[in-house]
Amino acid sequence: MAEHNKIPVTVLTGFLGSGKTTLVNHILTAQHGHRIAVIENEFGEIPIDNDLVLNADEKIIEMSNGCCLCCTARTDLIEILRSLLERSDRFDRILIETSGLADPNPVAQTFFVDEEITANFTLDAIVTLVDAKHIRGHLAETGHDGLGSTVVDQIAFADRIVINKVDLVDAPELAAVEREVRAINATADIIASRYADVNLADVLGISAFDLSRPMSGDPHWLEDDGHQHDPTLTSVGIELDGALDQHALQQWLTAHLREHGAQVYRMKGLFAVEQDPRRFVLQGVHEVFELRPSTPWLDQDRTGKVVFIGRDLDRAELTRGLLSCMADRALTPNAR
């Protein structure tokens, strides 16, 4: 199925109390003219989120299995998505609200690991909500097995970040929140809100996970300010002058991620491929990745750029690996 015929999916994540359900209600009651299916994932003994969502004409589907869309629950998500395809009345888009304790990466992987899902759905963006009033306290508790780690991971994985409840903090505190959020995620766009009242064009239909649109339009997408709240969580950006060998790149990525996939939260890249007039877009989560052709280069410089986001990333190893995939091995990447 052509990309423009696929059903776009937006994933809402964010820690407990950040305002996800409020944003869902804002989306469902807005005058946008779209039919939206909402998939709720709860973590708890008694399901309640479904009762808090305003059910207009949209279909609300609840996953109250106690799992935060882990690998087991991902199977349930696939079955739900398949059931939506079987309906005679097609939905215009899907909205998945994850639990406040959820790791968003298994949700993202869903759209790569199942052939039918990949053919019919496209992941539009992962939108993370942040509670301006409490986020700095949560981040102060950061530990790999604790609360802060969950909050950090949700922010790091985001394509778009909504700092919510800005009316509860003063200007200096909001500036501090923005600095800490930006230190964790150097590439996602950040917007602010009260009561999750955002412009829907800022969170729906933004093609942020597709990557080709924002990367081509934002010359600073690769930039990293070099500071991270969690020192093990880093962003490595690499630029390449010239074309790559597609087969070599796929082979190297497969081998590298087989060994280090658990450390690589996100990959997003744009490459020139030898003897192909099109730009190639790389997107991936952990060991799952996709490299596919996009729009033609036309008169643009055929250069490559990629960002890896994860824990304990080895910049030198990543640079060597990409260099080994260059069609002309003499060209040297400019790592940033």
Side-chain angles (χ1 to χ4, degrees):
M1 180 179 292
E3 198 70 22
H4 64 273
N5 289 326
K6 295 182 181 181
I7 301 173
V9 179
T10 301
V11 177
L12 295 182
T13 185
F15 198 65
L16 302 165
S18 58
K20 296 186 299 298
T21 301
T22 303
L23 179 54
V24 170
N25 284 333
H26 172 54
I27 292 171
L28 295 186
T29 56
Q31 300 300 314
H32 47 62
H34 296 293
R35 298 193 67 249
I36 301 176
V38 178
I39 301 175
E40 294 277 348
N41 173 226
E42 287 198 61
F43 185 84
E45 293 181 297
I46 302 174
I48 189 172
D49 281 358
N50 189 43
D51 297 323
L52 301 177
V53 173
L54 302 176
N55 190 350
D57 294 330
E58 289 81 357
K59 181 171 180 60
I60 312 297
I61 304 170
E62 191 171 51
M63 297 177 61
S64 54
N65 56 8
C67 294
C68 292
L69 285 174
C70 58
C71 293
T72 302
R74 187 169 65 202
T75 302
D76 296 337
L77 176 59
I78 289 173
E79 291 306 313
I80 288 173
L81 293 171
R82 285 175 174 165
S83 72
L84 293 175
L85 291 175
E86 295 171 359
R87 294 171 58 97
S88 58
D89 51 338
R90 178 186 171 95
F91 287 96
D92 299 311
R93 63 176 61 253
I94 311 296
L95 190 62
I96 301 176
E97 180 188 350
T98 67
S99 158
L101 300 176
D103 175 358
N105 88 76
V107 187
Q109 289 183 351
T110 301
F111 299 92
F112 296 92
V113 299
D114 184 272
E115 184 175 339
E116 184 179 11
I117 300 304
T118 301
N120 289 279
F121 298 91
T122 181
L123 185 55
D124 183 59
I126 294 176
V127 179
T128 297
L129 278 86
V130 168
D131 181 342
K133 177 70 173 178
H134 300 104
I135 185 63
R136 296 185 71 200
H138 295 328
L139 291 174
E141 302 175 32
T142 297
H144 294 311
D145 300 318
L147 166 68
S149 180
T150 300
V151 177
V152 169
D153 293 353
Q154 290 171 344
I155 294 172
F157 212 80
D159 300 304
R160 183 67 47 87
I161 297 170
V162 179
I163 300 180
N164 192 32
K165 306 182 183 181
V166 296
D167 53 310
L168 301 182
V169 298
D170 58 21
E173 177 66 12
L174 178 58
V177 169
E178 291 177 348
R179 284 194 300 271
E180 293 203 29
V181 168
R182 177 56 72 206
I184 296 168
N185 189 322
T187 60
D189 287 341
I190 297 176
I191 59 178
S193 70
R194 300 170 65 246
Y195 303 103
D197 186 6
V198 301
N199 186 333
L200 297 190
D202 289 334
V203 293
L204 298 180
I206 59 177
S207 302
F209 206 91
D210 182 17
L211 300 175
S212 56
R213 183 180 65 83
M215 273 199 258
S216 61
D218 179 9
H220 306 294
W221 72 274
L222 188 66
E223 292 181 1
D224 180 359
D225 61 12
H227 171 67
Q228 300 292 333
H229 186 274
D230 180 345
T232 67
L233 183 65
T234 56
S235 171
V236 174
I238 300 170
E239 292 180 321
L240 298 153
D241 292 325
L244 282 80
D245 180 286
Q246 182 180 356
H247 180 67
L249 178 60
Q250 290 175 319
Q251 278 195 320
W252 174 76
L253 283 170
T254 299
H256 181 81
L257 296 174
R258 185 182 298 121
E259 183 176 357
H260 303 289
Q263 300 165 236
V264 180
Y265 287 22
R266 285 289 302 277
M267 294 166 288
K268 38 190 178 180
L270 185 65
F271 299 101
V273 168
E274 187 181 27
Q275 297 182 342
D276 197 299
R278 300 166 295 179
R279 303 184 307 163
F280 275 69
V281 174
L282 168 69
Q283 54 182 349
V285 289
H286 289 301
E287 73 279 2
V288 181
F289 72 91
E290 178 184 63
L291 182 67
R292 59 177 176 79
S294 181
T295 55
W297 283 100
L298 300 178
D299 58 350
Q300 297 170 297
D301 292 335
R302 290 168 57 87
T303 58
K305 54 181 71 174
V306 60
V307 165
F308 295 89
I309 302 171
R311 293 193 185 279
D312 300 313
L313 300 179
D314 188 328
R315 181 183 297 271
E317 181 179 1
L318 292 170
T319 303
R320 285 194 301 270
L322 284 172
L323 177 60
S324 71
C325 302
M326 298 291 292
D328 182 346
R329 302 300 177 90
L331 292 178
T332 303
N334 174 27
R336 298 171 54 163

